[in-house]
Amino acid sequence: MVEDVDGNRFLDCAAGIAVNSTGHSHPAVVAAIVEQARRFLHKSGTDFYYETQVRLAEEMAAIVPIDGPVRSFFGNSGTEAVEAAIKLARYKTGRPFLVAFLGSFHGRTLGALSLTASKAVQRKGFGPPAPGVFHAPYADCYRCPVGQRPESCAAECLDFLEDQIFVQLVSPDEVAAIVVEPIQGEGGYLVPPQQFHDRLQALARRHGILLVVDEVQSGMGRTGKMFASEHYGLRADIVTIAKGVASGLPLGITAARAEIMDWSPGAHASTFGGNPVSCAAALATIELLKASLVENAAVVGAHLLEGLRALAARHPLIGDVRGKGLMIGVELVRDRRTKERATSERDRVIDEAFRRGLLILGAGRNALRLSPPLVLTKAQADTALGILDEAIGAVERSAGLA
Ligand SMILES: Cc1ncc(COP(=O)(O)O)c(C=O)c1O
């Protein structure tokens, strides 16, 4: 719950852009932060090891969806985790090029921004982006880029990557990494079919391309598994993590197969990265996730998804409801047949929900994003559904849709 300066109370289904995984100021996380803050605030893990960081590295090695021994690099944000992944992939393979996906969001520093292809405004005025990045279509199954149907889909959206990019634009043996979100976040909370990740993983392996799975938004229990990769059996070479990992304290992690992360001392570093207070918060967060919150995300997420599908049956503005766990997107359309994007209506639904005490965000051009803290109860999910019902109804009435 969030209370503003006027005493208005809101049910928070935004979680500071999918960050407050354990809710706001969970007592166990706060206690871990206070305890660490009393001992010391900073030492720079670049030069001196401290126990909290080592313990977190061990924890990462145990939980990330990477085979074999794992090493982690600690930064302060998602974008830094992606920067480190880009640098590591180039360093290790000696290859210059990168592949990312249309609609993706990987951050705003120049390297990560060059992968990001979500909204032009995020790139406008900052060009040229770093050279050597190729973008392929993502599996947006509601608007399949190749006109396939889910029943017969063989991830033909990847034909463009395999038959055009790799044939006409870049030789795959010069590609260092394919960077992919297992579920696309900022791009609209798009859930690809199993075939997409199977084919992508096979393609990467076939050409010796490192698979970088960006779990910044989809990781840390949000989808009802610790990592969204687990829904697909994805085994990455490098995984990027941030947002929910430390319940709101800044922390970014680049985890990689140990054999890949063998860069020499001094090759890459961060002064503040993995600071002890953030690491302590992360260790407490992971304990809570394992104890009950990953499971809660799965159970309450399924309940919320079911409730949203019931709303879709009554609200013509809802074109598609999709998600896993508590990572849920609701795509709004003016007409279900033409799928015309209800962009301004989406913004108004967010506003109407806000007025009624529910915090949600947008994702992509016309989807609502529900990314609540993983402590959400079924009763709170029902409150959110009730408010959304009213908010969508109000917008439909004013748009002449109801
Ligand atoms: C998948 C993904 N990667 C990277 C980032 C960048 O994270 P940050 O804003 O912490 O730099 C985001 C942020 O939304 C994200 O969703």
Side-chain angles (χ1 to χ4, degrees), residues 66-72 88 91-93 208 210 236-238 255-264:
I66 293 177
D67 287 330
V70 169
R71 283 196 179 127
S72 290
L88 181 61
Y91 185 92
K92 181 66 189 175
T93 61
L210 298 180
D237 296 300
I238 303 176
R257 285 199 283 121
E259 177 251 303
I260 292 172
M261 194 177 276
D262 64 351
W263 40 19
S264 47

Side-chain angles (χ1 to χ4, degrees), residues 17 77-80 82 105-107 181 186 214 216-217 242-243:
I17 328 182
S77 62
T79 199
E80 283 171 77
V82 172
F105 189 91
H106 298 290
E181 292 165 89
E186 165 73 16
D214 185 344
V216 166
Q217 188 147 178
K243 286 201 188 276

Side-chain angles (χ1 to χ4, degrees), residues 127-139:
V133 179
F134 297 90
H135 285 98
Y138 194 78

